[in-house]
Amino acid sequence: MRILLIEDDKALSGNIQEMLKSASFVVDACQSATEGFEYAMAYEYSCVILDLMLPDTDGYSWLQKLRDAKINTPVLILSGLSQKDNIIKGLGIGADDYLTKPFDKRELLARIHALIRRSKGL
């Protein structure tokens, strides 16, 4: 299974990549929304992990653009923005799940597996 990770914090991105690879995922990691969108259009992913605060645009805009392009890949927002309004907005735009930072790695993996399972109708 292939995951697209869009996270601009290099250290956090590296930690998440390590965790996902140890769980047998193939990971493509990007640090900008622009690069992430190019990957999302070029490859098929089991799940996208999306940060909201990116250097070139916000994750909400990225997600809206993805959904406008009729790409239905499950998206898990992973963000430091923990206010209810942020969570509601993300889910309303088309995110399938929302997890706030800091997070438990086991919970992130469990949520990814659940998203993938649901997307396959299992």
Side-chain angles (χ1 to χ4, degrees):
M1 289 180 275
R2 192 172 190 171
I3 304 286
L4 175 59
L5 172 62
I6 307 171
E7 169 63 60
D8 65 325
D9 181 312
K10 289 180 184 181
L12 179 58
S13 178
N15 289 337
I16 294 171
Q17 287 178 68
E18 247 182 67
M19 176 198 60
L20 292 172
K21 287 176 182 176
S22 71
S24 300
F25 287 103
V26 174
V27 183
D28 292 332
C30 306
Q31 294 179 341
S32 72
T34 303
E35 185 181 16
F37 195 76
E38 290 171 5
Y39 273 84
M41 296 303 290
Y43 303 103
E44 188 172 320
Y45 291 98
S46 300
C47 182
V48 175
I49 300 171
L50 174 66
D51 185 17
L52 289 178
M53 299 170 60
L54 298 166
D56 53 344
T57 191
D58 65 85
Y60 298 121
S61 300
W62 187 92
L63 180 56
Q64 185 65 60
K65 187 175 173 184
L66 185 77
R67 295 305 186 219
D68 289 346
K70 304 294 186 216
I71 297 184
N72 297 316
T73 304
V75 174
L76 184 149
I77 293 175
L78 184 61
S79 177
L81 301 175
S82 59
Q83 296 80 12
K84 291 295 178 200
D85 287 344
N86 297 110
I87 297 168
I88 291 166
K89 182 177 180 180
L91 294 170
I93 288 173
D96 298 278
D97 201 355
Y98 194 115
L99 184 61
T100 58
K101 299 173 188 175
F103 58 93
D104 183 292
K105 291 179 181 182
R106 297 169 302 161
E107 181 179 4
L108 176 59
L109 275 176
R111 288 174 182 255
I112 290 168
H113 285 292
L115 284 175
I116 293 170
R117 218 176 23 252
R118 283 195 305 265
S119 74
K120 294 180 186 280
L122 303 174

